[in-house]
Amino acid sequence: MAWLQFVLLLGIMTALVVPVGKWLHGVVSGERHSAAERLTYRLVGIDPDERMDWKRYGLVIVVSNLASLLFAYLLLRLQGLLPWNPAGLNAQAPDLAWNTVVSFMTNTNWQAYSGEQSLSYFSQMAVITTFMFISAATGFAAAVAFMRGLAGRSGDHLGNFWVDLTRITYRILLPISFVLALIFVWQGMPQTLQGYASVTTLEGAVQRIALGPVASLESIKHLGTNGGGFFSMNAAHPFENPTPLTNALHILSMLLLPSSLTYAFGRMLGNVRQGWVIFGGMLVMFVGFLVTVYSFEQAGNPILSRLGADQTMTATQAGGNMEGKEVRFGIAQTSLFATTTTAATTGSVDSMHDSYTGMGGLVPMTQMMLNNVFGGKGVGFINFVQYLILGVFMAGLMVGRTPEFLGKKIEAREVKLVMLAVLAHPLSILGFTALAISLPGPLASLNNPGPHGFSEVLYAYTSGTANNGSAFAGLNANTLFYNVTIGLAMLIGRYLTLLPMLAVAGLLATKRRVPVSSGTLATDTVLFGSLTVFVILIVGALTFLPALTLGPIADHLQMIKGVVLK
C-alpha cells in the first residue's frame, strides 16, 4: 500500500509536468499584458517595456526585498496597535521580528515562535501570507530570468523583474491558491476573522481554540514552497491538514511548479530533452531519498525492539517508528511529506523530524544540504544547473578542451561565480554550526546531549541556509543569538546563490553560440544527467559527510548500540 501511494502521487506529478510546464512557458514568454497587470503598472509607476540586464535585475530584487522587509518589520513591531487582533497579542521582540521578516522574505519560513500565540490575524495576512506570495514570485522570477540568459535569445537583457513578478502572481499563484483554498475549506480548514472559540471540555474546563484565516494561508504556503504554519504544529495540526486528501494535495502543491519548471526551460531553449534530463536527475535523487527515509522509519527503533515492543506492520497497526507522527497519515504519507518538504525547500511538516531515527533524520538534512532536488520556486532549478555547468567544466578538463554549455563557452568568470554559489552554502551551514557549538550560550538551548544535540544545531543552520524552515524541534531557537545568526544564514542562502548565478546567466547571454562539432559534449543525454547527479552527490559527500557523521549517523549508531554518546 505504501509503494502504491508513492507511485500514484509521483505519477500524478509527472503527468502534470507537460501541461503545467506549457502553461508556465506561455505566462513568462507572452508579450501581452492583461488589464489588471496594466493597471498595476500604472498604480506602482512601472515601465513594463524596460529591459533589464543581470545587474539591473538583481539590484531591483535586492532593493524591493529590502523595502518590503523594513515595512513588514514595522508592522510586526506595531502589532499591538493594529486591527484584527482578537487575542490581544503584543508586538514581537526586536530580534524575533527581525528573524521572522527575514525568514518569510527569503522564502524560508523558519518560525522561532508559535503562530497562534505570537501573531494576530492582521499579521498573519498582511505580513506572513503576503510575503508567501512575494517571496515565491521573486524566486520564480529569478529562475525565469536565469533561463532567459541561458537561452541567450534576447541579447544582454533578462526581462523585466516587475513584469515577471506581476504575471507570476496574477496568472499562476493567485488562481491556483484560490482553488486550493476552496477545496481546503470544503475539507474542514477554518477561514474566518472571528475571535477564538471557547468550548467546555468533558472535565468542565473552558478551553480557547485558535481559529483564523487558515485556508488562504495554507494554499499559498505549499504552492509557493513557503512552509510557515498558521499554528505551531504546522501541517500536523488538524486545522491545517484535516484529511489524507489535504495531505496529498499539500504534497502535490509543493512539487507542482518546481517539477514543471524543468519542462518550461526545455521549451524556452527549444530543446525539451534538456528539460527532461534535469527533471530525471531530480526525480532519481528524490526517489532514492524517499526509499531511504521510509525504510528506516518503517523498520522502527532498535531500542524499542530490544525492549520487546512489536514494531511490525500489521492490519491493526502501522508498525515502525510512529513517534512524532500522525496515525491518520501513517509512515508512508509522512515519509513522502518529509522527503517532499525538504526536497522542495518548503519546510512545512506533518510530523516531528526531531523524532525520526538517526538515518531517517539524515534524509531531510541531506536534501537541504544539496538543495537541488526539485527545490523551491526556481531555486532548486538554478542550483541543479550550477552543477550542470560544473559537470561540463570537469568533463572539459578531462578531455582537454574548453567546456561548452548550451552552445556557449564556459570560461574563468563563469566558473568562479558558480563556485561562489556552490561554496557559500556549506560555508554558512558549517561556519554558523561551528560557532554555535563553541559558545556556552547557544549550547544552553539544547534539550539533548551528544550527536542528537549536535544534529539539532546542524539542522537549524542547514534549514536556514537552504531557505527551508523546518526544524529539529528540540532546539530552543528563540534567543538573540539564534534569531540573529539564523537570519544571517537565510540571507546568505538566498542571495549568495541567486545573484552569482544570475550573473552567470547574464554573462552567457552576451556570448556568441559555438557551432556544434564532433568534440561538443551533449548535455541533454541520460549519460550527462547521470554524470551531473554523480557530481552533486560527490561534492555533497566531500563537503558534509564529516558533519553528518558527527550528527545523524552517530545518532543512529547510538540507537543501534543502545548506548548514550556524550
Side-chain angles (χ1 to χ4, degrees):
M1 184 63 181
W3 303 108
L4 179 61
Q5 293 183 62
F6 299 159
V7 171
L8 179 62
L9 284 170
L10 293 180
I12 293 173
M13 176 201 72
T14 304
L16 291 172
V17 165
V18 173
V20 176
K22 289 181 178 178
W23 177 38
L24 298 181
H25 177 259
V27 169
V28 300
S29 301
E31 296 293 333
R32 299 181 62 183
H33 307 292
S34 68
E37 291 164 358
R38 289 195 298 270
L39 177 61
T40 301
Y41 302 149
R42 285 197 296 270
L43 291 175
V44 183
I46 294 171
D47 176 11
D49 297 321
E50 179 187 1
R51 295 186 173 188
M52 299 181 179
D53 61 11
W54 74 265
K55 296 176 184 177
R56 172 70 173 163
Y57 205 103
L59 178 64
V60 173
I61 288 177
V62 172
V63 172
S64 63
N65 283 191
L66 178 60
S68 299
L69 186 148
L70 294 175
F71 181 66
Y73 180 83
L74 182 64
L75 292 181
L76 292 184
R77 296 291 294 135
L78 297 176
Q79 176 175 263
L81 304 176
L82 298 173
W84 293 332
N85 188 2
L89 300 174
N90 294 322
Q92 287 189 340
D95 59 307
L96 179 58
W98 143 265
N99 184 275
T100 301
V101 295
V102 169
S103 174
F104 283 86
M105 188 68 259
T106 58
N107 202 240
T108 307
N109 290 213
W110 171 273
Q111 293 176 287
Y113 61 89
S114 175
E116 66 270 39
Q117 297 176 3
S118 182
L119 295 180
S120 66
Y121 291 174
F122 181 84
S123 296
Q124 292 276 23
M125 292 185 294
V127 177
I128 304 304
T129 305
T130 300
F131 266 17
M132 285 184 175
F133 280 98
I134 293 174
S135 64
T138 298
F140 206 137
V144 169
F146 180 71
M147 290 191 294
R148 291 194 188 108
L150 296 183
R153 294 175 180 164
S154 306
D156 64 346
H157 81 86
L158 304 182
N160 184 308
F161 171 73
W162 299 114
V163 172
D164 291 336
L165 183 79
T166 305
R167 284 185 175 182
I168 290 164
T169 303
Y170 285 5
R171 302 191 193 184
I172 298 172
L173 299 180
L174 279 173
I176 301 178
S177 297
F178 182 76
V179 173
L180 283 174
L182 293 179
I183 297 174
F184 291 159
V185 170
W186 164 53
Q187 286 292 294
M189 285 189 200
Q191 181 66 24
T192 180
L193 294 177
Q194 294 180 358
Y196 292 3
S198 295
V199 298
T200 303
T201 66
L202 294 176
E203 293 82 7
V206 176
Q207 179 180 349
R208 297 180 71 204
I209 300 177
L211 299 172
V214 180
S216 56
L217 182 145
E218 285 297 306
S219 58
I220 185 58
K221 166 179 139 181
H222 290 111
L223 180 66
T225 63
N226 292 282
F230 195 98
F231 302 100
S232 60
M233 291 298 102
N234 210 288
H237 196 290
F239 283 175
E240 288 199 29
N241 197 2
T243 67
L245 175 60
T246 59
N247 199 60
L249 288 174
H250 287 333
I251 293 170
L252 287 174
S253 296
M254 287 186 270
L255 293 172
L256 179 65
L257 298 181
S259 61
S260 301
L261 199 60
T262 61
Y263 186 83
F265 176 59
R267 296 263 297 187
M268 191 174 291
L269 284 178
N271 182 3
V272 174
R273 286 179 56 187
Q274 185 69 70
W276 282 118
V277 166
I278 297 174
F279 173 81
M282 292 177 173
L283 183 61
V284 166
M285 290 190 288
F286 182 91
V287 171
F289 285 121
L290 172 60
V291 170
T292 301
V293 68
Y294 174 71
S295 299
F296 279 102
E297 292 306 298
Q298 191 61 65
N301 189 326
I303 296 176
L304 295 180
S305 296
R306 285 194 294 272
L307 294 174
D310 182 10
Q311 298 184 82
T312 57
M313 183 191 302
T314 67
T316 56
Q317 69 172 21
N321 176 34
M322 283 298 293
E323 180 187 341
K325 298 179 178 65
E326 291 288 299
V327 175
R328 58 204 170 106
F329 300 141
I331 291 180
Q333 279 210 25
T334 300
S335 298
L336 182 55
F337 197 106
T339 307
T340 301
T341 194
T342 47
T345 67
T346 306
S348 172
V349 294
D350 69 351
S351 61
M352 297 299 105
H353 292 182
D354 195 44
S355 296
Y356 282 27
T357 61
M359 293 302 292
L362 174 84
V363 167
M365 198 180 302
T366 302
Q367 287 198 122
M368 292 186 294
M369 288 173 171
L370 299 179
N371 204 23
N372 51 36
V373 185
F374 289 114
K377 287 298 146 294
V379 177
F381 172 83
I382 292 175
N383 289 345
F384 193 95
V385 172
Q386 78 184 9
Y387 281 100
L388 278 174
I389 296 174
L390 193 58
V392 166
F393 176 71
M394 294 174 63
L397 291 179
M398 288 188 287
V399 300
R401 61 175 285 137
T402 303
E404 302 167 10
F405 181 60
L406 303 178
K408 307 290 184 73
K409 286 188 178 295
I410 303 298
E411 298 176 301
R413 288 184 302 173
E414 291 82 31
V415 175
K416 289 177 182 178
L417 288 167
V418 167
M419 289 311 302
L420 172 61
V422 170
L423 293 175
H425 193 69
L427 286 175
S428 173
I429 293 171
L430 301 177
F432 282 121
T433 299
L435 179 64
I437 63 173
S438 64
L439 299 175
L443 287 177
S445 291
L446 293 176
N447 290 326
N448 295 283
H452 195 74
F454 176 76
S455 296
E456 290 173 350
V457 178
L458 179 64
Y459 194 107
Y461 289 109
T462 302
S463 179
T465 305
N467 297 145
N468 181 269
S470 62
F472 270 10
L475 174 71
N476 173 27
N478 188 13
T479 66
L480 177 62
F481 177 85
Y482 283 114
N483 280 334
V484 172
T485 55
I486 293 176
L488 292 173
M490 292 183 237
L491 293 173
I492 292 171
R494 179 73 160 183
Y495 299 106
L496 282 188
T497 297
L498 188 152
L499 295 178
M501 293 308 296
L502 204 60
V504 170
L507 293 173
L508 292 179
T510 61
K511 292 189 176 184
R512 293 182 178 180
R513 289 189 176 275
V514 179
V516 177
S517 67
S518 58
T520 300
L521 177 64
T523 60
D524 58 355
T525 64
V526 174
L527 176 62
F528 189 79
S530 302
L531 172 64
T532 303
V533 171
F534 176 76
V535 170
I536 291 170
L537 296 178
I538 287 297
V539 171
L542 292 174
T543 306
F544 292 110
L545 187 57
L548 291 172
T549 302
L550 292 173
I553 294 175
D555 194 18
H556 199 82
L557 291 175
Q558 171 181 281
M559 185 180 296
I560 293 173
K561 295 179 180 179
V563 298
V564 177
L565 301 178
K566 299 295 184 182

